[in-house]
Amino acid sequence: MKQSGGVEGAGSAVGVVDEFRRLYGAGPEGVWAAPGRVNLIGEYTDFNDGFVMPLALPHRAVAAVSRRTDRILRLHSADVAEGVVQLGIDALEPRSDTGWAAYPAGVVWALRAAGHPVTGADVHLASTVPTGAGLSSSAALEVVTALALNDLYGLGLTGPELAVLAQRAENEFVGVPCGIMDQMASACCTEGHALHLDTRDLSQRQVPFDLAAQGLRLLVVDTRVKHALGDGAYAARRAACEAGARALGVRALRDIPYAQLPAALDRLAAAGESEEVRRCVRHVVSDDHRVERTIALLDAGDLRAAGPVLTEGHASLRDDLRVSCPELDLAVTTALAAGALGARMTGGGFGGSAIVLTEESAADQVTKSITEAFASASYTPPRIFPATPSPGARRLS
Ligand code: ADP
Ligand code: MG
């Protein structure tokens, strides 16, 4: 897999049209784009019916797509060495091993399973979203495919409906038990905003997040590491959260108000629940509260004050949920020591990316300090870039 770090090149609509024509012998019916995302605050809350606050990155997957009527799906990615993958849409089987193609194929499967009359497609994709960096390259791939097919087949599905189908593709077809945040962010974010999302009913609000107007910058620090521990740990945290909700007699942890957290923790201890369960409950309930606090600060136009809330969120993920790692911790502590307003890991953890909120004037120093700290620790050089709140999925041509 090629690691495409910048926003230049692969995201261009012209490039994918030319390549589509070369691969399939005629131009595509259209070109669509769907972005990766970073989550500002609210981590491991989306499978607890809780709140999240992602924004779309300028990095995006672009897809050139045409319909077919012969029940064949042809898939190609500019970012993998493999050639065109050809599949019969009636033979698509969940968890059959089709590698990267499982993401777009899973979307076709999910659309058809929901009764939508998709009869085949030719697809060529190119993406600038770094893969496996916690920036949702997988959701970008799914959502761009879903939107293209929605438009071409006139399915009339909304952004949230496409996101739910894309999540189903990832959960059931690919076999990754992710929450709904990534697909909703890619499908529904808008330029200049963060998306305040209630993952229970998918109600949402676009919250103005104009960093530049306030002289601020949000940096993404892709640590470029992924620790093997991550996959099993995600499932274990999820199970601990579900055990906590069961023991507290609520549908999901989102139903525990922050003011009742101490009492809830006492009840869990009295019921003999493990320390791990109590830590997970404390993280989720307090992170839902941090989303609320961040929203209030953004609505009041006080973006700077959100910095310490992000940093608190990191401490909770590191100490209570225990999903950080030395590289993420180093990025966060170094950023803060270099004068950042706040920093935290974002995404599933055990590697991937951190975000740093900083004065624009301090951004270069923060970047330099993190780069040097990684070099001193003999870590892989991190990739650091600004996150400007970018448009969600849309048709380009
Ligand atoms: P993340 O979504 O955080 O980037 P995931 O592990 O969920 O990480 O998804 C990464 C996987 O998505 C890759 O291993 C690959 O299978 C697929 N993928 C992402 N981008 C592309 C691409 N441009 N071309 C082909 N496959 C891709
Ligand atoms: Mg993913």
Side-chain angles (χ1 to χ4, degrees):
M1 168 90 29
K2 188 178 79 187
Q3 286 283 336
S4 37
V7 290
E8 56 295 319
S12 108
V14 178
V16 295
V17 167
D18 289 348
E19 182 64 5
F20 185 100
R21 187 172 286 115
R22 195 188 65 75
L23 287 164
Y24 301 123
E29 290 185 88
V31 179
W32 290 261
R37 62 95 190 96
V38 281
N39 187 25
L40 190 60
I41 190 77
E43 214 65 74
Y44 279 81
T45 49
D46 72 341
F47 56 76
N48 291 291
D49 281 3
F51 299 93
V52 294
M53 217 180 153
L55 49 122
L57 291 172
H59 305 67
R60 62 190 190 174
V62 173
V65 184
S66 286
R67 282 167 292 183
R68 299 178 66 96
T69 53
D70 58 0
R71 318 192 77 72
I72 299 264
L73 180 61
R74 292 196 291 181
L75 303 167
H76 184 266
S77 167
D79 307 310
V80 293
E82 200 177 341
V84 172
V85 175
Q86 180 163 327
L87 302 162
I89 60 167
D90 298 307
L92 293 175
E93 277 288 335
R95 297 178 193 231
S96 51
D97 185 15
T98 42
W100 74 270
Y103 295 89
V107 169
V108 172
W109 171 82
L111 283 166
R112 288 182 43 75
H116 299 295
V118 174
T119 54
D122 285 338
V123 180
H124 168 65
L125 292 149
S127 177
T128 52
V129 187
T131 56
L135 302 174
S136 291
S137 69
S138 62
L141 229 54
E142 292 152 8
V143 170
V144 78
T145 307
L147 182 65
L149 295 173
N150 182 54
D151 285 356
L152 287 176
Y153 281 97
L155 305 179
L157 298 168
T158 63
E161 286 168 339
L162 292 173
V164 167
L165 285 164
Q167 183 202 18
R168 186 159 181 225
E170 185 147 349
N171 288 170
E172 295 179 37
F173 195 88
V174 184
V176 177
C178 58
I180 189 65
M181 168 170 68
D182 300 355
Q183 291 79 10
M184 278 295 292
S186 187
C188 300
C189 278
T190 59
E191 192 168 11
H193 296 87
L195 179 74
H196 182 206
L197 175 70
D198 179 338
T199 64
R200 170 164 280 169
D201 63 8
L202 301 190
S203 61
Q204 46 172 297
R205 183 163 74 91
Q206 304 288 344
V207 183
F209 190 58
D210 191 350
L211 293 155
Q214 301 224 9
L216 296 174
R217 195 166 285 176
L218 189 70
L219 298 173
V220 176
V221 182
D222 172 7
T223 64
R224 303 181 67 194
V225 299
K226 188 172 169 63
H227 296 286
L229 187 60
D231 296 343
Y234 182 88
R237 299 305 182 282
R238 202 170 166 146
C241 289
E242 283 160 10
R246 252 194 326 274
L248 291 167
V250 290
R251 185 170 140 201
L253 291 181
R254 117 64 165 300
D255 296 310
I256 305 295
Y258 182 67
Q260 288 171 23
L261 178 58
L265 294 172
D266 288 347
R267 273 170 59 203
L268 289 170
E273 289 294 337
S274 69
E275 192 185 330
E276 195 204 343
V277 168
R278 283 178 280 144
R279 285 176 189 279
C280 289
V281 169
R282 188 161 56 193
H283 168 74
V284 170
V285 176
S286 66
D287 230 35
D288 269 342
H289 185 55
R290 278 184 282 273
V291 176
E292 270 178 48
R293 287 163 62 200
T294 303
I295 292 283
L297 292 168
L298 263 52
D299 281 341
D302 195 1
L303 270 60
R304 281 177 178 77
V309 184
L310 302 187
T311 306
E312 260 180 50
H314 184 74
S316 179
L317 287 158
R318 181 192 60 209
D319 302 334
D320 269 347
L321 211 62
R322 300 182 177 191
V323 295
S324 190
C325 65
E327 293 87 349
L328 287 167
D329 291 343
L330 184 65
V332 167
T333 52
T334 307
L336 296 172
L341 296 162
R344 71 175 196 94
M345 56 156 279
T346 182
F350 301 103
S353 299
I355 52 171
V356 178
L357 182 67
T358 176
E359 301 288 349
E360 221 159 44
S361 55
D364 288 348
Q365 185 53 47
V366 167
T367 302
K368 187 163 167 276
S369 298
I370 296 172
T371 306
E372 286 172 359
F374 271 55
S376 300
S378 301
Y379 291 160
T380 305
R383 223 175 350 221
I384 305 176
F385 54 87
T388 42
S390 299
R394 66 198 206 279
R395 187 170 191 156
L396 298 182
S397 66

